[in-house]
Amino acid sequence: MAPENLTGVTEFILMGVSDRPELQLPLFFVFLVIYGLTVVGNLGIITLTSVDSRLQTPMYFFLRQLAIINFGNSTVIAPKMLTNFLVKKKTTFYYECATQMGGFLFFIVAEVFVLAVMAYDRYVAICNPLLYMVVVSPQICLLLVSIAYVYGFSTGIVVPSCVFAMSYCSSNVINHFYCDIVPLLALSCSDTYFPETVVFISAATNLVLSVIIVLISYFNIVLSILRIHSSEGRKKAFSTCASHMMAVTVFYGTLLFMYLQPKTDHSLDSDKMASVFYTLVIPMLNPMIYSLRNKDVIAAFKRFLSNPCYSFKPM
C-alpha cells in the first residue's frame, strides 16, 4: 500500500544526537572515529577467524557471527547519522526510514541470541569439555546461528510493518538520530496500542529467553569453576568468561532500559543516549573485549601480518 494512503507524511526529519549547531562538526569527527574503529575491528575479526586455520573452532565461529552483526548494525545507523551532521536538512524518506528500522531490528535481535549462544558455548566448553566438539558440532553451530538470523529477519519485517501502519499526519520531526520505534510512535496521530503491544511482547520475549540462557549458562559455569582445585585453573576459566559477561551486562542493560520501562517513564533524550551505546559504542568495543585480549587472536594477527598466505595453510 502506498504511504500516501496511510499518512500525510512522506519524509521524516531526524533531530540527531544534538540540535546545537556548534556541536555538529565535533560530533561528526567523534562518531566518524567510532565508526572507523568499528569497521576496522570487526572486519579484522571476520578476516582472521575466516582465514586462520587455528581459529576454526565453535567459539571463533560465533565470534565471527557477532562481528558480522556488529558491523551490519553500525552500518545501518552510522552513515546516515554522519551525513546528517554535515547537512542542514536532516531528512529521511518514508521507505528509507522503514528500511533502516527493519535492518536495525534484524541485527539487534540476531545479536541478542548470538550472545546467548556464545554463553551456552562457554558453558559446554567449561562444564563438558570432553563432549564439546560433539555438542557444539559445526552442524549445531550453523543451526543455532541460522535460527538467530531467521528470527531477527522476521522481527525486522513484522515490527516495522506494525509501526508504519500507523498514521503520521502532523509532525514529522523524530527526536532521535535514526528511525527508532519509540520516537516514531510518539509522532503518530492514531491509536498506538497495537504496535506498542507487539513491540513490548517481542522485546520482552527476546530478552527474557536470552537472559535465561545466559544466566543458566553462567550459573553452571560458576559452579564448575568453584570445583576446580587449581587457583591458576580457576583464574584462567574466570578470565575466559569475564569479558563476555561484561559485554552482555552493558548490552542487555541498555536494551532493558530502552524497551521494558513503562511508557510514562520514557525520556526520549535518555533513550537516545542509551541507543548510542548499543548501536555504535558496543560494536566498537566488542572486537577489543573478545579478541584483542585473546592470545590466540593476537597470535593469528601476527601470523597474518608476517605471512598472509600462511594462514590459509592446513594444520
Side-chain angles (χ1 to χ4, degrees):
M1 185 178 291
E4 289 79 10
N5 295 331
L6 296 173
T7 176
V9 174
T10 58
E11 64 180 19
F12 296 98
I13 298 173
L14 295 166
M15 287 184 62
V17 176
S18 172
D19 57 358
R20 296 174 61 181
E22 68 274 15
L23 293 180
Q24 300 306 300
L25 197 57
L27 286 174
F28 169 79
F29 286 110
V30 168
F31 286 105
L32 179 63
V33 170
I34 291 175
Y35 181 58
L37 291 174
T38 300
V39 171
V40 171
N42 286 290
L43 288 183
I45 296 304
I46 294 168
T47 301
L48 286 178
T49 56
S50 297
V51 304
D52 196 288
S53 56
R54 302 187 187 187
L55 300 183
Q56 304 307 306
T57 64
M59 182 177 73
Y60 293 111
F61 171 78
F62 293 130
L63 180 59
R64 179 163 67 249
Q65 303 310 312
L66 182 65
I68 292 170
I69 290 168
N70 285 160
F71 172 74
N73 197 23
S74 291
T75 301
V76 166
I77 304 297
K80 183 68 176 180
M81 176 189 185
L82 291 170
T83 301
N84 285 343
F85 281 125
L86 303 177
V87 298
K88 289 184 178 180
K89 193 177 181 183
K90 310 178 193 305
T91 59
T92 179
F93 293 111
Y94 185 88
Y95 285 125
E96 181 184 9
C97 190
T99 302
Q100 185 184 56
M101 181 186 291
F104 160 73
L105 289 172
F106 166 68
F107 286 114
I108 207 74
V109 170
E111 183 169 2
V112 165
F113 285 102
V114 167
L115 285 171
V117 168
M118 292 175 75
Y120 173 72
D121 170 73
R122 291 298 84 206
Y123 155 72
V124 177
I126 293 174
C127 301
N128 297 287
L130 297 179
L131 298 175
Y132 180 63
M133 295 308 296
V134 176
V135 176
V136 194
S137 65
Q139 293 79 11
I140 295 297
C141 290
L142 189 60
L143 175 63
L144 292 174
V145 169
S146 298
I147 291 173
Y149 283 141
V150 169
Y151 189 71
F153 180 77
S154 64
T155 304
I157 295 296
V158 172
V159 173
S161 298
C162 294
V163 172
F164 283 88
M166 299 294 98
S167 297
Y168 298 93
C169 50
S170 54
S171 174
N172 67 337
V173 180
I174 301 174
N175 185 19
H176 218 300
F177 58 89
Y178 71 97
C179 293
D180 198 15
I181 299 166
V182 173
L184 259 170
L185 289 178
L187 299 179
S188 177
C189 54
S190 57
D191 184 10
T192 59
Y193 175 78
F194 179 72
E196 285 177 348
T197 302
V198 171
V199 170
F200 182 84
I201 292 174
S202 176
T205 303
N206 297 342
L207 289 173
V208 169
L209 285 177
S210 56
V211 167
I212 287 174
I213 295 171
V214 170
L215 290 178
I216 291 176
S217 297
Y218 273 98
F219 177 76
N220 285 282
I221 286 171
V222 170
L223 290 181
S224 181
I225 289 175
L226 292 177
R227 296 192 192 103
I228 300 175
H229 298 295
S230 166
S231 59
E232 185 65 26
R234 287 197 299 269
K235 182 180 177 182
K236 183 177 180 181
F238 269 120
S239 66
T240 301
C241 303
S243 295
H244 179 263
M245 202 61 218
M246 179 177 66
V248 163
T249 301
V250 175
F251 180 80
Y252 285 110
T254 53
L255 287 182
L256 287 167
F257 173 80
M258 278 287 293
Y259 293 111
L260 297 185
Q261 58 178 311
K263 182 181 178 182
T264 54
D265 293 339
H266 261 295
S267 166
L268 293 180
D269 288 331
S270 61
D271 286 355
K272 195 188 302 184
M273 292 302 102
S275 298
V276 169
F277 274 88
Y278 67 74
T279 60
L280 298 168
V281 176
I282 291 177
M284 177 192 69
L285 294 178
N286 276 344
M288 305 175 196
I289 292 173
Y290 289 105
S291 304
L292 297 183
R293 296 177 58 194
N294 185 304
K295 293 180 180 180
D296 292 336
V297 174
I298 293 173
F301 181 65
K302 291 179 179 178
R303 287 195 299 271
F304 185 78
L305 289 180
S306 61
N307 186 1
C309 295
Y310 174 79
S311 300
F312 292 93
K313 294 180 180 179
M315 292 294 293

